[in-house]
Amino acid sequence: MLAVAKREEEGWLDIESSDNFPYEDLRTIDQLWVKYSDGHFGFSVQKHIYKNMGGTEETWKYNSEVWRKFGEIIGWKKIEGDWLYYKDINFDITAPKAHLPVVRCLFSFLGRDWEGLVEVACYVGSKCGGGFSLLSRRDLLCYDPKSEIKTSKLGQLDEIELISSVGMDYTQLRNFLRRGMWQKADEETAELMLAVAKRKNKNWLDYESITNFPCEDLRTIDRLWVKYSNGRFGFSVQKRIYQRLGATTRQNKDNVWEAFGDVVGWSVGRHWLYDYEITFDITAPEGHLPMSIGYSQDWTWIGDWEDKVRLGGFFKYLFLREDL
């Protein structure tokens, strides 16, 4: 993590480097811990416990009592006692759940150097000068022990578990994608997402329903698209292209959206295509699919400008999600 953040010389992660730590690298590190500990260790496991105890993703709502109790449960702090030093951490599978990882850091506190003291390890959540909490990152929203690890060295898991927080069945979507039935899969994706969000009667997803769409279901849908298109299609593929063009999770730029449309083949020379002009084939541009959920809206006007707006409304909101 120090190498990724280019903080090896300093030996610790400051607020800015923690806040801007690349999502892809953070997720890879976390998924490795979760997978090979069988769900016992990992940043997302820690966050799951922290949130269940009343911890919040809003750093300004930091609660010192919740943090101390969290430390006791995962074994970083003695019950009604002191916080542990790094040398006292239990590096064994028998350690309490979420005990690891603990990233050792050097932090200056009240004029003294407290090396390895968990309580002041600002990367995980103590209120260091009003600092950043890793556990507040929304891209650590979900975890599961069998989650896919995207690394060229380990490769992907053979099968994707069809996880849903609302009991939705993704078997048909998987079948369509396996057979390369891209249009059917695109239509099924729209139907499933409307059903999960309970918006079938509206036939479109608004900002609130996109923001609150269950992480487990979004991840299942995306991973199926990515897997069966060999990394060519999927929401995460689209988001990566969008960000590569200059957009961020905090700022959506109109000029970037125009360029994005051209790159993924939704527009030609800034002329936005109608839904019937979409290419449902593996030869389509990278990130071309899925897209019908962006068109699943009731609009009275049909035309080039409206097509751009309604697609942008959905996907720009979707790309704001840090767990994608």
Side-chain angles (χ1 to χ4, degrees):
M1 293 182 74
L2 292 173
V4 169
K6 298 181 180 179
R7 297 277 301 178
E8 293 173 290
E9 184 175 342
E10 291 82 356
W12 61 287
L13 300 183
D14 61 5
I15 296 170
E16 183 178 1
S17 56
S18 298
D19 196 4
N20 296 319
F21 195 88
Y23 163 65
E24 294 83 1
D25 297 85
L26 180 62
R27 187 167 70 166
T28 296
I29 293 170
D30 177 57
Q31 289 181 336
L32 286 167
W33 274 98
V34 173
K35 175 178 172 61
Y36 292 108
S37 69
D38 198 20
H40 200 66
F41 300 140
F43 294 132
S44 57
V45 181
Q46 293 167 349
K47 177 171 182 175
H48 183 71
I49 294 174
Y50 183 62
K51 288 191 67 177
N52 283 346
M53 294 180 57
T56 175
E57 293 178 340
E58 306 294 339
T59 54
W60 60 274
K61 291 183 180 180
Y62 167 82
N63 186 312
S64 59
E65 183 58 34
V66 171
W67 181 250
R68 284 194 293 270
K69 194 66 179 176
F70 169 74
E72 292 175 351
I73 287 178
I74 68 172
W76 288 354
K77 181 180 181 296
K78 297 177 182 177
I79 305 298
E80 302 297 330
D82 296 331
W83 290 80
L84 302 184
Y85 285 84
Y86 185 80
K87 64 182 178 63
D88 299 317
I89 294 297
N90 183 6
F91 293 99
D92 191 272
I93 195 62
T94 60
K97 187 170 185 177
H99 191 68
L100 299 172
V102 177
V103 178
R104 188 179 185 181
C105 73
L106 180 64
F107 187 78
S108 180
F109 184 71
L110 295 179
R112 298 177 58 189
D113 287 337
W114 290 43
E115 187 173 5
L117 186 60
V118 175
E119 188 175 16
V120 294
C122 62
Y123 88 98
V124 284
S126 62
K127 192 77 169 182
C128 318
F132 173 80
S133 166
L134 180 65
L135 300 188
S136 73
R137 288 187 56 147
R138 296 181 184 275
D139 45 16
L140 284 176
L141 183 62
C142 303
Y143 79 94
D144 75 86
K146 298 180 180 179
S147 60
E148 178 181 19
I149 300 173
K150 293 184 178 180
T151 165
S152 58
K153 293 183 179 180
L154 294 180
Q156 298 181 342
L157 298 179
D158 292 333
E159 193 58 81
I160 294 175
E161 189 172 357
L162 304 183
I163 300 173
S164 172
S165 66
V166 297
M168 191 60 61
D169 185 1
Y170 293 104
T171 304
Q172 186 67 277
L173 175 61
R174 181 175 62 188
N175 291 341
F176 285 147
L177 289 169
R178 273 178 172 171
R179 299 167 186 167
M181 302 173 68
W182 305 112
Q183 183 168 1
K184 289 288 187 181
D186 193 43
E187 294 169 353
E188 179 73 3
T189 297
E191 288 294 318
L192 289 168
M193 293 187 73
L194 291 171
V196 169
K198 298 181 180 179
R199 298 273 300 180
K200 295 189 75 171
N201 60 325
K202 300 291 185 181
N203 201 37
W204 63 286
L205 300 183
D206 59 7
Y207 173 77
E208 184 178 359
S209 57
I210 296 169
T211 302
N212 297 319
F213 196 89
C215 171
E216 295 86 351
D217 295 77
L218 182 61
R219 174 179 287 184
T220 295
I221 293 170
D222 179 57
R223 287 169 63 193
L224 285 170
W225 274 96
V226 172
K227 176 178 175 62
Y228 292 109
S229 68
N230 290 320
R232 194 167 186 81
F233 302 144
F235 294 133
S236 59
V237 176
Q238 294 164 345
K239 178 178 178 178
R240 185 167 63 250
I241 295 171
Y242 187 58
Q243 291 184 323
R244 189 175 68 219
L245 291 170
T248 70
T249 55
R250 297 182 180 180
Q251 183 179 15
N252 288 313
K253 303 176 183 178
D254 289 338
N255 61 324
V256 173
W257 178 249
E258 297 282 357
F260 173 78
D262 285 343
V263 170
V264 301
W266 292 350
S267 65
V268 179
R270 304 300 169 89
H271 168 75
W272 289 77
L273 305 183
Y274 288 92
D275 52 351
Y276 59 79
E277 297 178 289
I278 295 301
T279 302
F280 294 103
D281 191 270
I282 195 62
T283 60
E286 183 181 18
H288 195 67
L289 300 173
M291 58 77 58
S292 290
I293 183 62
Y295 270 106
S296 298
Q297 305 189 28
D298 291 325
W299 284 71
T300 302
W301 297 346
I302 299 296
D304 181 61
W305 185 81
E306 287 77 20
D307 292 339
K308 178 183 73 172
V309 170
R310 55 183 172 178
L311 271 174
F314 171 80
F315 284 98
K316 285 185 181 181
Y317 291 152
L318 183 67
F319 294 161
L320 285 173
R321 290 189 55 143
E322 295 182 351
D323 52 3
L324 183 62

PDB file of all heavy atoms in Angstrom, residues 182-194:
ATOM      1  N   TRP A 182     -26.604 -11.349 -26.649  1.00  0.00           N
ATOM      2  CA  TRP A 182     -26.332 -10.051 -26.034  1.00  0.00           C
ATOM      3  C   TRP A 182     -27.566  -9.165 -25.916  1.00  0.00           C
ATOM      4  O   TRP A 182     -27.724  -8.457 -24.914  1.00  0.00           O
ATOM      5  CB  TRP A 182     -25.238  -9.338 -26.833  1.00  0.00           C
ATOM      6  CG  TRP A 182     -23.999 -10.165 -26.964  1.00  0.00           C
ATOM      7  CD1 TRP A 182     -23.491 -10.733 -28.100  1.00  0.00           C
ATOM      8  CD2 TRP A 182     -23.114 -10.560 -25.894  1.00  0.00           C
ATOM      9  NE1 TRP A 182     -22.345 -11.452 -27.812  1.00  0.00           N
ATOM     10  CE2 TRP A 182     -22.093 -11.356 -26.474  1.00  0.00           C
ATOM     11  CE3 TRP A 182     -23.067 -10.319 -24.528  1.00  0.00           C
ATOM     12  CZ2 TRP A 182     -21.057 -11.911 -25.724  1.00  0.00           C
ATOM     13  CZ3 TRP A 182     -22.042 -10.862 -23.771  1.00  0.00           C
ATOM     14  CH2 TRP A 182     -21.048 -11.642 -24.365  1.00  0.00           C
ATOM     15  N   GLN A 183     -28.434  -9.169 -26.902  1.00  0.00           N
ATOM     16  CA  GLN A 183     -29.626  -8.332 -26.811  1.00  0.00           C
ATOM     17  C   GLN A 183     -30.568  -8.844 -25.731  1.00  0.00           C
ATOM     18  O   GLN A 183     -31.116  -8.057 -24.945  1.00  0.00           O
ATOM     19  CB  GLN A 183     -30.357  -8.278 -28.159  1.00  0.00           C
ATOM     20  CG  GLN A 183     -31.571  -7.344 -28.131  1.00  0.00           C
ATOM     21  CD  GLN A 183     -32.129  -7.060 -29.518  1.00  0.00           C
ATOM     22  OE1 GLN A 183     -31.625  -7.571 -30.518  1.00  0.00           O
ATOM     23  NE2 GLN A 183     -33.160  -6.236 -29.583  1.00  0.00           N
ATOM     24  N   LYS A 184     -30.756 -10.166 -25.671  1.00  0.00           N
ATOM     25  CA  LYS A 184     -31.591 -10.748 -24.623  1.00  0.00           C
ATOM     26  C   LYS A 184     -31.004 -10.435 -23.243  1.00  0.00           C
ATOM     27  O   LYS A 184     -31.729 -10.122 -22.297  1.00  0.00           O
ATOM     28  CB  LYS A 184     -31.698 -12.260 -24.816  1.00  0.00           C
ATOM     29  CG  LYS A 184     -32.546 -12.695 -25.999  1.00  0.00           C
ATOM     30  CD  LYS A 184     -34.025 -12.441 -25.724  1.00  0.00           C
ATOM     31  CE  LYS A 184     -34.893 -13.039 -26.822  1.00  0.00           C
ATOM     32  NZ  LYS A 184     -36.347 -12.781 -26.573  1.00  0.00           N
ATOM     33  N   ALA A 185     -29.689 -10.526 -23.133  1.00  0.00           N
ATOM     34  CA  ALA A 185     -29.024 -10.257 -21.858  1.00  0.00           C
ATOM     35  C   ALA A 185     -29.184  -8.788 -21.465  1.00  0.00           C
ATOM     36  O   ALA A 185     -29.385  -8.467 -20.295  1.00  0.00           O
ATOM     37  CB  ALA A 185     -27.550 -10.621 -21.954  1.00  0.00           C
ATOM     38  N   ASP A 186     -29.115  -7.915 -22.456  1.00  0.00           N
ATOM     39  CA  ASP A 186     -29.273  -6.483 -22.196  1.00  0.00           C
ATOM     40  C   ASP A 186     -30.684  -6.172 -21.702  1.00  0.00           C
ATOM     41  O   ASP A 186     -30.879  -5.419 -20.741  1.00  0.00           O
ATOM     42  CB  ASP A 186     -28.967  -5.708 -23.478  1.00  0.00           C
ATOM     43  CG  ASP A 186     -28.801  -4.224 -23.220  1.00  0.00           C
ATOM     44  OD1 ASP A 186     -28.143  -3.854 -22.232  1.00  0.00           O
ATOM     45  OD2 ASP A 186     -29.339  -3.434 -24.010  1.00  0.00           O
ATOM     46  N   GLU A 187     -31.670  -6.757 -22.355  1.00  0.00           N
ATOM     47  CA  GLU A 187     -33.063  -6.564 -21.957  1.00  0.00           C
ATOM     48  C   GLU A 187     -33.332  -7.166 -20.583  1.00  0.00           C
ATOM     49  O   GLU A 187     -34.042  -6.583 -19.754  1.00  0.00           O
ATOM     50  CB  GLU A 187     -33.990  -7.180 -23.003  1.00  0.00           C
ATOM     51  CG  GLU A 187     -33.923  -6.480 -24.355  1.00  0.00           C
ATOM     52  CD  GLU A 187     -34.625  -7.252 -25.455  1.00  0.00           C
ATOM     53  OE1 GLU A 187     -35.051  -8.412 -25.188  1.00  0.00           O
ATOM     54  OE2 GLU A 187     -34.747  -6.715 -26.581  1.00  0.00           O
ATOM     55  N   GLU A 188     -32.743  -8.341 -20.330  1.00  0.00           N
ATOM     56  CA  GLU A 188     -32.908  -8.998 -19.032  1.00  0.00           C
ATOM     57  C   GLU A 188     -32.279  -8.167 -17.920  1.00  0.00           C
ATOM     58  O   GLU A 188     -32.830  -8.064 -16.810  1.00  0.00           O
ATOM     59  CB  GLU A 188     -32.270 -10.390 -19.074  1.00  0.00           C
ATOM     60  CG  GLU A 188     -32.348 -11.181 -17.778  1.00  0.00           C
ATOM     61  CD  GLU A 188     -33.744 -11.713 -17.472  1.00  0.00           C
ATOM     62  OE1 GLU A 188     -34.657 -11.511 -18.305  1.00  0.00           O
ATOM     63  OE2 GLU A 188     -33.913 -12.335 -16.398  1.00  0.00           O
ATOM     64  N   THR A 189     -31.145  -7.550 -18.208  1.00  0.00           N
ATOM     65  CA  THR A 189     -30.487  -6.695 -17.229  1.00  0.00           C
ATOM     66  C   THR A 189     -31.392  -5.541 -16.819  1.00  0.00           C
ATOM     67  O   THR A 189     -31.526  -5.230 -15.628  1.00  0.00           O
ATOM     68  CB  THR A 189     -29.158  -6.145 -17.795  1.00  0.00           C
ATOM     69  OG1 THR A 189     -28.274  -7.236 -18.050  1.00  0.00           O
ATOM     70  CG2 THR A 189     -28.507  -5.182 -16.823  1.00  0.00           C
ATOM     71  N   ALA A 190     -32.019  -4.917 -17.793  1.00  0.00           N
ATOM     72  CA  ALA A 190     -32.930  -3.809 -17.504  1.00  0.00           C
ATOM     73  C   ALA A 190     -34.113  -4.283 -16.663  1.00  0.00           C
ATOM     74  O   ALA A 190     -34.487  -3.634 -15.676  1.00  0.00           O
ATOM     75  CB  ALA A 190     -33.423  -3.184 -18.812  1.00  0.00           C
ATOM     76  N   GLU A 191     -34.696  -5.414 -17.038  1.00  0.00           N
ATOM     77  CA  GLU A 191     -35.837  -5.951 -16.286  1.00  0.00           C
ATOM     78  C   GLU A 191     -35.448  -6.280 -14.843  1.00  0.00           C
ATOM     79  O   GLU A 191     -36.186  -5.973 -13.902  1.00  0.00           O
ATOM     80  CB  GLU A 191     -36.365  -7.205 -16.986  1.00  0.00           C
ATOM     81  CG  GLU A 191     -37.100  -6.943 -18.281  1.00  0.00           C
ATOM     82  CD  GLU A 191     -38.400  -6.177 -18.056  1.00  0.00           C
ATOM     83  OE1 GLU A 191     -39.126  -6.503 -17.088  1.00  0.00           O
ATOM     84  OE2 GLU A 191     -38.668  -5.237 -18.823  1.00  0.00           O
ATOM     85  N   LEU A 192     -34.296  -6.889 -14.666  1.00  0.00           N
ATOM     86  CA  LEU A 192     -33.844  -7.273 -13.331  1.00  0.00           C
ATOM     87  C   LEU A 192     -33.573  -6.056 -12.462  1.00  0.00           C
ATOM     88  O   LEU A 192     -33.969  -6.017 -11.283  1.00  0.00           O
ATOM     89  CB  LEU A 192     -32.580  -8.130 -13.435  1.00  0.00           C
ATOM     90  CG  LEU A 192     -32.757  -9.546 -13.976  1.00  0.00           C
ATOM     91  CD1 LEU A 192     -31.402 -10.161 -14.306  1.00  0.00           C
ATOM     92  CD2 LEU A 192     -33.501 -10.418 -12.970  1.00  0.00           C
ATOM     93  N   MET A 193     -32.927  -5.059 -13.024  1.00  0.00           N
ATOM     94  CA  MET A 193     -32.591  -3.874 -12.235  1.00  0.00           C
ATOM     95  C   MET A 193     -33.843  -3.098 -11.837  1.00  0.00           C
ATOM     96  O   MET A 193     -33.947  -2.589 -10.715  1.00  0.00           O
ATOM     97  CB  MET A 193     -31.613  -2.989 -12.999  1.00  0.00           C
ATOM     98  CG  MET A 193     -30.252  -3.631 -13.195  1.00  0.00           C
ATOM     99  SD  MET A 193     -29.011  -2.541 -13.925  1.00  0.00           S
ATOM    100  CE  MET A 193     -28.665  -1.431 -12.547  1.00  0.00           C
ATOM    101  N   LEU A 194     -34.807  -3.024 -12.727  1.00  0.00           N
ATOM    102  CA  LEU A 194     -36.083  -2.377 -12.388  1.00  0.00           C
ATOM    103  C   LEU A 194     -36.811  -3.154 -11.290  1.00  0.00           C
ATOM    104  O   LEU A 194     -37.409  -2.563 -10.385  1.00  0.00           O
ATOM    105  CB  LEU A 194     -36.966  -2.275 -13.630  1.00  0.00           C
ATOM    106  CG  LEU A 194     -36.489  -1.294 -14.708  1.00  0.00           C
ATOM    107  CD1 LEU A 194     -37.325  -1.449 -15.974  1.00  0.00           C
ATOM    108  CD2 LEU A 194     -36.566   0.150 -14.198  1.00  0.00           C
TER     109      LEU A 194
END
